């Protein structure tokens, strides 16, 4: 029987410093070399995920942008992607007409880019963009019409909760929406993806390719709920959201205690 292990990154595999401990890196690398199938599913992009997981050797495809893309962990090739249809232009119209200026992720001329108007960004957005300084995906624009270019697959707003909540409530049935505060900055995020996009859906697509028999997952946030519901076994780190703990198979030590790596070391060696 083949088991695929999938972990969330932020708040789960990564510690509070947004890094991997030497123990976690060494443990997972050893288990992967012994034959364990391991991957991670994250809201991060491929570029930023690879940066914070430097040293981790896990050749299985990676699920990024909350399932909007799946990329080969070795070559970086995009294996699966889920883009909006043209109705996304109506959503952008709605935001812009209400003086909300998002960060828009799209494939433009075959390259992945994220576009924003610096002078229209909220403080939270500017803080996020500063953390991506030097990123080749950056596309600074100065006119709203440039938001509409390319194949759009992800739209993000970082702003006051009261300003974003009505849009979340309006679009949550039409698209896959995440409305939550960042665990590191406590900034309010509204993330919008094509309907059907999720970590769980990406994992299901991979099953058709790699034919694993069982799925074991690890997470900490509400965006991991669908992944937990799909899995044969689902483990929440001790610092996880209470909603996730409520549906977990078991609670394991926190992200700052190497909970995932500790679990894997014991569980995989028993197989």
């Amino acid at each position: 029987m083949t088991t695929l292990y999938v972990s969330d990154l932020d708040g789960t595999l990564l510690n509070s410093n947004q890094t991997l401990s030497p123990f976690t890196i060494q443990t997972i690398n050893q288990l992967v070399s012994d034959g364990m199938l391991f991957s991670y599913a994250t809201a991060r992009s491929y570029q930023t995920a690879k940066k914070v997981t430097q040293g981790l050797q896990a050749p299985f495809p990676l699920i990024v942008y909350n399932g909007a893309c799946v990329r080969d962990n070795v070559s970086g090739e995009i294996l699966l992607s889920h883009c909006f249809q043209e109705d996304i232009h109506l959503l952008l119209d709605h935001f812009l007409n209400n003086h909300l200026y998002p960060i828009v992720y799209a494939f433009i001329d075959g390259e992945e880019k994220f576009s924003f108007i610096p002078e229209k960004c909220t403080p939270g957005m500017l803080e996020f963009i500063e953390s991506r300084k030097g990123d080749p995906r950056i596309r600074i624009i100065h006119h709203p019409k440039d938001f509409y270019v390319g194949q759009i697959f992800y739209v993000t707003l970082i702003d006051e909760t009261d300003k974003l909540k009505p849009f979340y409530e309006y679009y949550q049935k039409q698209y896959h929406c995440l409305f939550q505060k960042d665990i590191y900055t406590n900034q309010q995020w509204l993330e919008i993806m094509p309907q059907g996009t999720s970590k769980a859906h990406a994992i299901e697509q991979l099953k058709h390719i790699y034919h694993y028999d069982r799925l074991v997952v690890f997470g900490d946030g509400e965006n991991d709920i669908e992944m937990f519901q799909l899995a044969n076994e689902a483990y929440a780190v001790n610092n996880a959201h209470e909603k996730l703990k409520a549906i977990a198979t078991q609670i394991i030590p926190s992200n700052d205690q190497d909970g995932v790596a500790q679990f894997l070391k014991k569980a995989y060696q028993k197989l």
Side-chain angles (χ1 to χ4, degrees), residues 72-90:
D72 186 279
N73 195 12
V74 179
S75 68
E77 178 188 357
I78 297 171
L79 304 178
L80 301 167
S81 63
H82 201 178
C83 296
F84 288 102
Q85 301 299 313
E86 288 191 4
D87 60 349
I88 189 60
H89 293 177
L90 297 177

Side-chain angles (χ1 to χ4, degrees), residues 12-13 21 23-28 31 218 252 257-267:
T12 305
L13 198 64
S21 73
F23 175 81
T24 288
I25 292 173
Q26 181 180 356
T27 299
I28 293 178
L31 294 176
F218 307 88
I252 61 175
Q257 297 174 304
D258 296 307
V260 174
Q262 294 280 11
F263 177 90
L264 290 172
K265 185 175 182 179
K266 294 177 182 177

Side-chain angles (χ1 to χ4, degrees), residues 5-219:
Y5 298 87
V6 179
S7 178
D8 170 59
L9 281 186
D10 292 282
T12 305
L13 198 64
L14 298 177
N15 59 33
S16 296
N17 294 322
Q18 301 185 55
T19 60
L20 295 178
S21 73
F23 175 81
T24 288
I25 292 173
Q26 181 180 356
T27 299
I28 293 178
N29 285 350
Q30 181 60 57
L31 294 176
V32 168
S33 71
D34 291 341
M36 180 180 72
L37 286 181
F38 177 83
S39 184
Y40 54 75
T42 177
R44 288 177 178 263
S45 67
Y46 174 78
Q47 290 82 355
T48 59
K50 290 287 284 184
K51 184 177 180 180
V52 296
T53 59
Q54 189 172 3
L56 194 66
Q57 304 297 321
F60 200 83
L62 307 177
I63 296 163
V64 295
Y65 290 118
N66 278 314
C69 291
V70 176
R71 299 185 70 154
D72 186 279
N73 195 12
V74 179
S75 68
E77 178 188 357
I78 297 171
L79 304 178
L80 301 167
S81 63
H82 201 178
C83 296
F84 288 102
Q85 301 299 313
E86 288 191 4
D87 60 349
I88 189 60
H89 293 177
L90 297 177
L91 179 144
L92 293 177
D93 290 344
H94 193 187
F95 283 153
L96 296 172
N97 289 338
N98 284 274
H99 308 291
L100 291 173
Y101 297 84
I103 300 174
V104 177
Y105 294 76
F107 297 112
I108 300 174
D109 296 328
E111 295 186 0
E112 185 182 321
K113 297 290 183 181
F114 64 87
S115 304
F116 57 93
I117 301 176
E119 56 270 25
K120 298 292 187 180
C121 286
T122 63
M125 291 166 68
L126 290 174
E127 182 180 344
F128 168 79
I129 291 163
E130 178 63 24
S131 72
R132 301 305 190 259
K133 193 172 183 178
D135 193 315
R137 296 173 300 146
I138 289 175
R139 178 175 177 259
I140 296 173
I141 62 175
H142 298 287
H143 196 286
K145 66 179 178 58
D146 293 323
F147 278 128
Y148 298 78
V149 176
Q151 295 176 288
I152 299 170
F153 62 90
Y154 207 89
V155 177
T156 295
L157 282 159
I158 309 170
D159 209 326
E160 297 172 10
T161 301
D162 291 343
K163 288 175 66 176
L164 297 181
K165 189 174 182 180
F167 291 90
Y168 167 69
E169 293 174 342
Y170 185 85
Y171 285 111
Q172 63 177 324
K173 292 183 179 179
Q174 185 175 351
Y175 299 109
H176 183 69
C177 301
L178 296 173
F179 186 64
Q180 57 191 3
K181 290 194 175 183
D182 182 86
I183 63 170
Y184 303 116
T185 67
N186 205 38
Q187 296 279 1
Q188 181 67 57
W189 285 58
L190 172 58
E191 301 164 86
I192 301 179
M193 294 150 278
Q195 189 62 266
T197 299
S198 68
K199 295 178 181 180
H201 184 252
I203 291 171
E204 284 187 297
Q205 289 179 295
L206 286 174
K207 185 171 185 177
H208 293 299
I209 302 172
Y210 294 96
H211 308 293
Y212 58 84
D213 303 298
R214 294 178 66 255
L215 174 67
V216 177
V217 302
F218 307 88

